[in-house]
Amino acid sequence: MVSIVRVHIPSEIPIVGCEITPYVLLRRPDGSATTDDAPESAPVDGCFLRYKWIRIQSDKKVPVCSIHPTEAATLQCLGCLKVKIPVTKSYHCSAKCFSDTWQHHRVLHERAANTENGTEEDGGGDHLFGRLPTQSPSTNGPVPIVNPDKNSGETWYEVGRSKTYTPTSDDIGHVLRFECVVVDVDTRIPVGTVSSILTSRVIPAPTPTPRRMIPVVPGGSGAEAIQGGFDMDGRNASVTSMGTFTVLSYNILADTYATNDVYSYCPSWALSWTYRRQNLLREIVGYHADIICLQEVQSNHYEEFFAPELDKHGYQALYKKRTSEYLQIYPGNPNNIDGCATFFRRDRFTHVKKYEVEFNKAAQSLTDAVITAGQKKAALNRLIKDNIALIAVLEAKFGGSPSPDNSGKRQLLCVANTHVNVQQELKDVKLWQVHTLLKGLEKIAVSADIPMLVCGDFNSVPGSAPHTLLALGKIDQMHPDLSIDPLGILRPINKLNHQLCLVSAYSSFARIGGGSYELEQQRRRTDPQTNEPLFTNCTRDFIGTHDYIFYTADSLTVQSLLELVDEESLRKDTALPSPEWSSDHIALLAEFRCKPKLKH
């Protein structure tokens, strides 16, 4: 007879919107063990498993802190109740907790006061990121079931009958009980005892302070459009006006790199992929970008999660996995290899062509051409790092206006998405990879009059040689990064150039004169020397800018930008990732408009 050996719930803390998948170990009659499911539709040795999820509701509900959800709340913000902010956001675990987060908590008050329907039922201040899909209760709600301990002061509610369960807001503050039992398929009578396990109390999913779009030219989509209501189910038509489009670039931190050793300051439950994937999806979908460029997307996560989930929201997907000649650390698990994923809205663009850039192949060609036979092995060891770039040529629909000058010509757009080598000591390799990508883009530009976007994680700080090449089109011969070139692949220096007229989108905050208070606030979050953000990557060991959205300034103009995150909003006692932000990078989002083509 089949028997249950062990039941375990991997997730440390259950979180609203994050599916719980228990681990159930079975022993077969022959003594072998299996973790395969045994549903009624596919019984094992004449038996199947019956599951039940129960909410154990105490007579006294325990509110939890909205900032530190593993802590019980000790005080409540009455101002939240006055402006009808969801009650779960009004709780804090201490006076210090409330004081430390007041500047950001106040933003919820201000926005709720401007929202007509900011009630708990419609998500209130959560409109930027929307709500995760939850399991709908029955019409009359769950029915209480018999509690074996009648004197415990607890009421039991059955909330699910499948192996997995996704906690809802009704579960917040309560313990969940998972039960499973072996059932004879013929008699449908349980055999053996019921195995059960209790969870910790369910906590709400932490939400970061909403980020607004800041206009950098008159007419750009700004804070008002954002406040008009982003949700997971619909698109605010005012987010992008006719003829404009938005582009998101985001390194989402692959699960294989998100280890407790590296990010020891992040709670383990917030570092788990089960939690992070839902939090990342909510954030990404909430931005409603027309084009999405993601880096560090594992191939299995792309196929099993991001591609199907974003397809539901109207996105078509393209993907390029990193090559694996250098990544010998994954000898038996190719799914752990990450890559770049580009998504675009089917109602805004159609796919024309895809180019894949493998820097390993370029390294082979380079060494064959310029490296002596005795140096080839050392050269390849230095150059082959498995980095790639994904280039997509798209045709814009723009609501029936194929080109901004209404000439009837197709409006094409070239979008490059890349993740450059991370090793900081290999400055020559980084620069060579960026130069190789730019030369490939130049070939596309020659073949077609086409606006270009170059997005990604370049692992290069502002002012470095790769950034300088991108932004200025050339590099000064005295640049300190050029001193590292053991293979001579950067010589002659005058070959390090391009003609693409690229400008960093986020430098617009510093370059545009005048403007609103919000614009001035963003300028204070940029470096006055380079005009780039002070940081896009923030961990305990590093804080600086590695991510950029470059665009061809002769064919595109920036309309608005997603506001930058200030260090204070990350809270003094943490870094990224955190329960609120599920990557160690921040997302960049820019709205563009195509320039009318000049008639000759």
Side-chain angles (χ1 to χ4, degrees), residues 47 76 116 136 206 254 294 307 377-378 495 522 581:
C47 298
Q76 185 176 27
E116 292 182 2
S136 300
L294 302 182
K377 184 175 180 180
K495 78 174 182 180
Q522 298 307 304
W581 305 98

Side-chain angles (χ1 to χ4, degrees), residues 435-514:
H435 183 249
T436 300
L437 173 61
L438 290 171
K439 287 303 171 182
L441 291 173
E442 277 190 325
K443 293 179 181 178
I444 297 174
V446 168
S447 64
D449 182 12
I450 181 170
M452 290 195 169
L453 295 162
V454 187
C455 309
D457 177 358
F458 292 83
N459 274 307
S460 304
V461 298
S464 63
H467 175 267
T468 301
L469 178 60
L470 283 158
L472 301 182
K474 60 182 180 179
I475 303 176
D476 188 288
Q477 295 189 22
M478 302 306 292
H479 195 290
D481 286 1
L482 299 180
S483 63
I484 300 176
D485 185 20
L487 302 175
I489 59 174
L490 305 179
R491 294 189 286 270
I493 303 301
N494 59 11
K495 78 174 182 180
L496 299 174
N497 63 74
H498 68 86
Q499 308 297 322
L500 292 177
C501 193
L502 293 176
V503 174
S504 172
Y506 270 78
S507 68
S508 300
F509 278 144
R511 290 185 291 103
I512 304 299

